[in-house]
Amino acid sequence: MSASQVPAGADPKIKEMITSLDDDKIDMVAATSVLQQQATDIRTQRVNWQSYFQSQMISQEDHKFIVAFDVPDSAAREELLRTDRNQCARTFLNLLGHVSKDQTLQYILVLIDDMLQEDRSRVEIFHEYANKSRESVWGPFLNLLNRQDGFITNMTARIIAKIACWAQTPMERSDLHFYLTWLKDQLKMQYDALEEAQIHAKSFGGEQPTETYTEVSFSIDEQRPSNYQLTNNEYIQSVARCLQMMLRIDEYRFAFVSVDGISTLLSVLSGRVNFQVQYQLIFCLWVLTFNPLLAEKMNKFNVIPILADILSDSVKEKVTRIILAVFRNLIEKPEDGQVSKEHCIAMVQCKVLKHLTILEQRKYDDEDVTGDVEFLTEKLQSSVQDLSSFDEYATEVKSGRLEWSPVHKSKFWRENAQRLNEKNYELLRILIHLLETSKDPLVLSVASFDIGEYVRHYPRGKHVIEQLGGKQLVMQLLAHEDPNVRYEALLAVQKLMVHNWEYLGRQLEKEQSGDSKTTTAPISGKA
């Protein structure tokens, strides 16, 4: 997709980035992928179309067209498509629907993909035919996503993305939902397969690299086994590439969010993936943030802490550049200034400002990187000056990364305990959720302490925590394996058991006052 082909209404910044990262350049990366390696091999394995015709597996019209089309001469193909566009779509869709042999299907898909890559306007051939015949352009392709062969499913996904993005007619909602769900599931499945392979390698005392490829090529005379399957994450870049294309279009972005796509992207990014996959998936997040509504909601998925971790470890300029671009959008794009402020605070909380200081010392080939570093530094430094202790606390809780920072002091709770009731107990609910889901002993310890301090400094705190289900979770932590967690949970339970802190305080004062009088009163009695 060139800048001129970006959908109307797309942000100018996207056009700039697409210009600098033109599809041809991105396809140079794809050219080294397993999908393209296989496609190169498949092109050499010509199909005997005559045998299909003689066995009456294809019609005479389809045979005539495919024989004329399947030639090395691009000019001849161009002329054929100019004079017989309708037959082109009919033949290819018929072949996809009636051919069952994997090797032949692979060859047909490569022919279609090459045809579209030569001229992107050819995607309209399929839409024109579908309109005339009143058939779905998507059905034959979506059906192939259920095949077992990895090349067939991923090359089909690639073709669907091109038709969905390059055509004037957008993909219908139900078909779009099915396709995006398939991409999301494939991303997770292939990542899980990689994780399993790494665990398996470690169990044998070996260390397997994060990027695992099985490079297999077949000569012209060799037959690719019908049950041949690639393993691990060979196709993960191809799946990510499809998402990079789809999410440039605004209406497709909301559909992706509706199938829980953002959570999947961040789940994969939280694990160990190579820098190319990191770049591709963060690119997906970047284009999503051009929509103001999505930019406002993005950090609810913890995108800032996850990207901040990647930024601190990144050694590749392209990964650094795309993360900074996401951070800039998270500040610039939201229409609600308060959300932008919260994003700034979250970045400060995640040590982004500290890392920006390091990045300022480096020289970059891309001027955008320098500009983004300067922009973010200015915005984050400004937010630090305006930062209240409660803002800092709220950001820390929302990040899910609790630590013994200065806000976890008695003075803070005396002044701010009641503020945890705001927005329908939003922060309390997050704390309780962390008690239930976190595996980090530090997070559990701090969350337990905060629950106890809330109860101690807010008169109805005990009742609120019980209603939200926090009391039971704190009590369960009394049996936690970590001694610090057990200690903080015990203190919190003790605070929960006291009914009235003010009454207790007065009683303690009376007792202390009584002790004082006893010690100072004159002792009467006989000598």
Side-chain angles (χ1 to χ4, degrees):
M1 179 179 289
S2 65
S4 63
Q5 292 169 307
V6 175
D11 194 289
K13 187 73 174 178
I14 289 187
K15 294 185 179 180
E16 291 176 22
M17 180 68 95
I18 301 308
T19 301
S20 64
L21 298 173
D22 186 79
D23 272 7
D24 293 335
K25 296 177 182 177
I26 295 176
D27 280 337
M28 289 174 65
V29 175
T32 63
S33 73
V34 170
L35 190 72
Q36 288 292 65
Q37 291 170 17
Q38 286 183 272
T40 300
D41 177 67
I42 289 167
R43 289 186 189 94
T44 67
Q45 301 178 25
R46 303 294 295 278
V47 173
N48 184 350
W49 299 114
Q50 184 65 24
S51 66
Y52 277 91
F53 176 56
Q54 289 176 343
S55 60
Q56 298 182 335
M57 295 179 68
I58 61 176
S59 68
Q60 183 175 353
E61 291 80 7
D62 290 338
H63 174 257
K64 179 181 178 182
F65 177 87
I66 198 64
V67 168
F69 183 85
D70 188 12
V71 294
D73 187 352
S74 60
R77 292 197 300 272
E78 177 67 34
E79 177 62 21
L80 184 63
L81 292 175
R82 188 181 66 81
T83 58
D84 212 354
R85 290 167 66 89
N86 201 53
Q87 186 60 47
C88 171
R90 178 186 292 114
T91 295
F92 275 128
L93 294 178
N94 283 342
L95 291 174
L96 292 178
H98 295 98
V99 172
S100 58
K101 188 177 180 181
D102 281 354
Q103 192 170 353
T104 305
L105 277 174
Q106 292 169 354
Y107 189 84
I108 295 166
L109 290 168
V110 170
L111 285 180
I112 296 173
D113 186 65
D114 288 347
M115 177 185 74
L116 300 181
Q117 197 64 37
E118 284 178 0
D119 183 350
R120 297 173 184 190
S121 67
R122 291 174 180 172
V123 295
E124 298 298 347
I125 291 174
F126 291 100
H127 280 291
E128 290 167 10
Y129 172 76
N131 289 336
K132 288 179 182 178
S133 60
R134 295 185 180 180
E135 297 178 11
S136 168
V137 70
W138 307 109
F141 292 106
L142 293 176
N143 287 337
L144 290 178
L145 295 179
N146 295 316
R147 302 279 297 204
Q148 294 300 309
D149 182 85
F151 180 86
I152 289 175
T153 55
N154 283 277
M155 183 55 81
T156 299
R158 175 184 167 102
I159 292 169
I160 292 172
K162 289 178 178 180
I163 298 175
C165 294
W166 296 345
Q168 297 298 316
T169 307
M171 201 171 186
E172 290 86 353
R173 182 178 295 273
S174 60
D175 294 327
L176 178 62
H177 187 276
F178 179 90
Y179 176 56
L180 291 175
T181 299
W182 185 89
L183 289 176
K184 180 203 73 168
D185 291 345
Q186 287 295 306
L187 194 64
K188 191 70 171 70
M189 285 168 53
Q190 293 184 38
Y191 170 71
D192 288 345
L194 172 60
E195 287 283 280
E196 185 178 341
Q198 290 171 345
I199 294 171
H200 182 70
K202 288 181 181 179
S203 68
F204 284 92
E207 187 71 31
Q208 188 160 327
T210 57
E211 187 170 6
T212 309
Y213 291 119
T214 305
E215 295 190 5
V216 182
S217 61
F218 295 87
S219 68
I220 297 175
D221 298 324
E222 281 184 302
Q223 291 292 318
R224 181 190 303 277
S226 60
N227 63 345
Y228 173 70
Q229 288 289 315
L230 290 169
T231 56
N232 299 335
N233 71 330
E234 281 84 359
Y235 293 118
I236 195 168
Q237 290 185 29
S238 300
V239 173
R241 180 77 187 99
C242 293
L243 285 173
Q244 281 180 275
M245 293 180 67
M246 294 293 291
L247 297 179
R248 292 169 182 171
I249 297 175
D250 201 46
E251 60 190 282
Y252 296 167
R253 294 171 186 163
F254 285 100
F256 184 66
V257 174
S258 73
V259 300
D260 201 27
I262 295 178
S263 295
T264 301
L265 291 179
L266 293 171
S267 174
V268 176
L269 284 168
S270 297
R272 295 175 59 198
V273 290
N274 65 68
F275 76 87
Q276 176 59 29
V277 175
Q278 278 184 340
Y279 172 78
Q280 289 180 276
L281 299 187
I282 298 169
F283 184 100
C284 293
L285 293 172
W286 177 68
V287 292
L288 285 169
T289 59
F290 278 92
N291 183 286
L293 290 176
L294 296 182
E296 289 182 6
K297 296 179 180 179
M298 191 66 74
N299 204 40
K300 294 184 185 297
F301 299 92
N302 254 14
V303 65
I304 291 175
I306 292 170
L307 293 191
D309 286 346
I310 297 174
L311 180 65
S312 65
D313 296 333
S314 174
V315 295
K316 293 292 182 178
E317 182 175 320
K318 64 189 291 184
V319 176
T320 298
R321 175 184 61 187
I322 199 69
I323 291 174
L324 295 178
V326 173
F327 284 166
R328 181 165 188 155
N329 274 5
L330 290 176
I331 296 173
E332 281 189 326
K333 299 304 176 185
E335 296 175 353
D336 186 340
Q338 181 60 32
V339 172
S340 295
K341 179 183 176 182
E342 290 174 2
H343 287 170
C344 285
I345 297 169
M347 291 177 204
V348 172
Q349 187 75 38
C350 294
K351 312 295 191 294
V352 172
L353 189 56
K354 180 180 179 181
H355 196 68
L356 288 172
T357 305
I358 298 171
L359 295 178
E360 281 182 317
Q361 311 305 316
R362 300 180 187 171
K363 291 184 178 180
Y364 296 97
D365 297 330
D366 189 341
E367 293 180 359
D368 282 346
V369 177
T370 304
D372 287 345
V373 168
E374 292 174 354
F375 172 86
L376 290 169
T377 300
E378 179 186 346
K379 291 293 184 182
L380 298 194
Q381 286 178 341
S382 175
S383 71
V384 168
Q385 295 171 0
D386 300 332
L387 188 62
S388 70
S389 59
F390 185 78
D391 290 334
E392 185 179 345
Y393 177 76
T395 304
E396 182 180 324
V397 171
K398 289 177 183 178
S399 76
R401 301 183 175 200
L402 301 181
E403 55 187 43
W404 292 114
S405 56
V407 291
H408 303 280
K409 303 289 184 183
S410 293
K411 179 183 177 183
F412 170 83
W413 288 104
R414 283 196 300 271
E415 297 173 352
N416 295 287
Q418 190 164 343
R419 294 199 62 184
L420 268 71
N421 301 338
E422 294 175 1
K423 297 182 180 179
N424 194 25
Y425 307 104
E426 178 187 26
L427 295 181
L428 280 178
R429 293 178 190 275
I430 296 173
L431 283 174
I432 291 169
H433 179 70
L434 290 173
L435 289 179
E436 186 175 10
T437 61
S438 180
K439 305 297 182 184
D440 187 340
L442 177 59
V443 171
L444 294 173
S445 297
V446 178
S448 297
F449 172 82
D450 287 359
I451 294 289
E453 287 299 280
Y454 169 76
V455 170
R456 180 182 174 192
H457 291 95
Y458 178 60
R460 293 187 62 255
K462 177 187 175 185
H463 174 73
V464 173
I465 293 299
E466 287 180 350
Q467 289 294 309
L468 295 176
K471 181 178 178 180
Q472 182 180 357
L473 292 171
V474 172
M475 294 185 74
Q476 289 174 358
L477 294 178
L478 293 173
H480 196 275
E481 60 184 13
D482 187 277
N484 292 323
V485 175
R486 293 198 300 270
Y487 175 74
E488 295 298 340
L490 178 60
L491 293 181
V493 168
Q494 289 174 344
K495 294 170 187 176
L496 280 163
M497 294 303 177
V498 176
H499 289 276
N500 192 319
W501 277 97
E502 292 182 2
Y503 172 78
L504 178 63
R506 288 195 298 270
Q507 290 298 106
L508 288 173
E509 288 175 5
K510 287 180 180 179
E511 289 177 11
Q512 290 171 354
S513 176
D515 290 342
S516 175
K517 289 178 181 177
T518 301
T519 55
T520 58
I523 300 174
S524 60
K526 293 182 180 179

